[in-house]
Amino acid sequence: MKAINLVHMKKFIVLLVLLMFVPCVYGKDRRLKSTILRGYFDNYYIEDIGCNISYDEDGRLFKIDYSNMTTSIDYTNIEDGYLTVNVNIPDERYDVNYIATLDDDGRVDIAERIEQSFGACTYFFEYAQNRLNSFIQYEDSGNIYTNLCFDAGNLIKFEYYNDLYPDEIDWREYEYSGDYNLHGIKLLESMWGVQLDGLEILAQAGFLGDPPAQFPSSWNDSDGNVVVGDYVFDEDGYLIQANDNNAPELFIYFYYEDVPDDGVEAIHNECDNSSQIYTLDGIAIREIANPGIYILVKNDGSFHKILKN
């Protein structure tokens, strides 16, 4: 095997940088489009709680619409190492922007609220083995600390507390039984309860490290709650339904859409002999044996992402 030649090196590096900020594709080329909560809770029918996810023409997640809030990412300055995140809560007349700076691995390390009319607020994120390990939320009213503990890729516990009451620690612990998160759902707040406020979009867009490897089978928390989760997957391993014993008639439904053809190309046969295939590390290979994303370099110098299922 040989390294990618110097003629294509510059364009190849640019492509790798762009790939860092495209949500990962696992297996089939579908992506999460929306979730909705539907069913009965205390004899009341619920149907309008959930979120809708939008992607730009480059396949990047740029907006999540919740029932009472919209968050979005502006990628204009990504080549300069930062994003702009907008959080809008119309009912509370809350409309603010955060500048989210990226580390060398394409993860957000600092997110600072720009508007001072709502008070200063800055998040500092830290990672271990490419998963979110802890973050601190600095505010005028006091600081909030959150610690996360992963084991074998699973989030097994998180805890948070603030400066005013440092001995009052809120926490949640999880158990797992093999319901794998094969398709990279990263909604840490919606699915795992980690309090990210309006910045959950950074997780689902892939800027807060890898997602948990499995969905929890049960969890308990500092308030004494014990919850057992139940999940339904389709034949391709996509999560399509979830609920728990606290509300057995209330379900979260998950909906997906196909990734556009110009995002990631599926490999059906061997590539043209005039083309060269590279791994994401820039190593040329003769043929693709393992699943994953690769780079196809054609003789005309064009580059294409290709997906091996």
Side-chain angles (χ1 to χ4, degrees):
M1 295 188 295
K2 62 179 180 179
I4 188 168
N5 65 67
L6 295 177
V7 175
H8 298 308
M9 179 63 75
K10 183 176 180 180
K11 291 172 68 178
F12 185 81
I13 291 174
V14 171
L15 181 60
L16 288 182
V17 171
L18 292 176
L19 274 170
M20 289 170 58
F21 306 109
V22 176
C24 292
V25 180
Y26 297 78
K28 299 293 183 178
D29 51 347
R30 284 188 279 164
R31 60 193 181 189
L32 185 64
K33 180 62 177 176
S34 63
T35 70
I36 188 169
L37 195 64
R38 183 184 298 126
Y40 289 91
F41 181 73
D42 286 345
N43 295 321
Y44 289 97
Y45 186 68
I46 297 173
E47 192 179 17
D48 60 351
I49 299 176
C51 68
N52 295 302
I53 298 175
S54 300
Y55 302 85
D56 66 15
E57 60 184 9
D58 294 318
R60 302 175 299 192
L61 190 158
F62 81 94
K63 184 170 68 170
I64 300 182
D65 290 302
Y66 301 89
S67 58
N68 63 342
M69 176 178 69
T70 295
T71 63
S72 60
I73 297 177
D74 183 344
Y75 293 91
T76 302
N77 298 297
I78 193 168
E79 292 184 0
D80 296 320
Y82 69 93
L83 313 164
T84 303
V85 178
N86 176 261
V87 181
N88 180 263
I89 308 175
D91 292 346
E92 299 180 13
R93 298 182 180 179
Y94 184 88
D95 186 16
V96 302
N97 293 305
Y98 288 83
I99 295 296
T101 60
L102 304 173
D103 64 17
D104 293 339
D105 295 311
R107 304 168 306 202
V108 172
D109 56 1
I110 301 174
E112 183 174 8
R113 189 161 63 198
I114 300 174
E115 289 80 1
Q116 296 301 313
S117 57
F118 294 95
C121 179
T122 304
Y123 288 80
F124 290 88
F125 299 94
E126 293 187 352
Y127 303 87
Q129 298 181 337
N130 204 42
R131 285 190 166 88
L132 188 60
N133 182 60
S134 66
F135 60 93
I136 304 174
Q137 180 181 350
Y138 290 101
E139 295 204 35
D140 291 341
S141 58
N143 304 327
I144 302 174
Y145 303 85
T146 302
N147 298 312
L148 300 91
C149 181
F150 283 85
D151 181 45
N154 294 322
L155 177 60
I156 60 173
K157 183 177 182 179
F158 79 86
E159 60 182 22
Y160 62 97
Y161 58 94
N162 59 47
D163 280 338
L164 297 178
Y165 306 100
D167 295 329
E168 296 183 9
I169 300 176
D170 292 313
W171 53 266
R172 185 186 286 191
E173 294 182 333
Y174 303 90
E175 297 289 340
Y176 295 86
S177 61
D179 289 321
Y180 286 95
N181 185 11
L182 296 178
H183 300 282
I185 292 179
K186 309 178 187 71
L187 294 170
L188 288 177
E189 184 167 359
S190 300
M191 294 296 296
W192 282 268
V194 179
Q195 299 300 309
L196 286 163
D197 296 326
L199 298 183
E200 181 180 36
I201 190 171
L202 291 173
Q204 186 58 27
F207 294 105
L208 295 184
D210 292 335
Q214 297 182 40
F215 299 107
S217 56
S218 64
W219 58 94
N220 59 91
D221 60 33
S222 52
D223 293 326
N225 298 309
V226 178
V227 180
V228 177
D230 187 34
Y231 307 94
V232 177
F233 301 85
D234 70 9
E235 60 184 5
D236 295 317
Y238 285 88
L239 176 65
I240 58 175
Q241 180 182 303
N243 72 316
D244 62 60
N245 61 315
N246 276 349
E249 296 182 324
L250 188 62
F251 299 87
I252 304 174
Y253 295 92
F254 298 79
Y255 300 94
Y256 302 84
E257 65 179 8
D258 291 337
V259 176
D261 291 338
D262 57 357
V264 177
E265 300 176 357
I267 301 172
H268 300 290
N269 301 301
E270 292 185 5
C271 296
D272 191 319
N273 290 333
S274 64
S275 303
Q276 179 63 63
I277 307 169
Y278 294 90
T279 68
L280 293 183
D281 296 325
I283 304 300
I285 58 176
R286 294 180 179 274
E287 60 183 15
I288 296 175
N290 300 317
I293 297 177
Y294 298 83
I295 308 299
L296 176 66
V297 182
K298 297 186 177 180
N299 277 349
D300 61 4
S302 61
F303 292 79
H304 302 275
K305 293 170 290 183
I306 50 180
L307 173 67
K308 170 67 173 178
N309 291 325

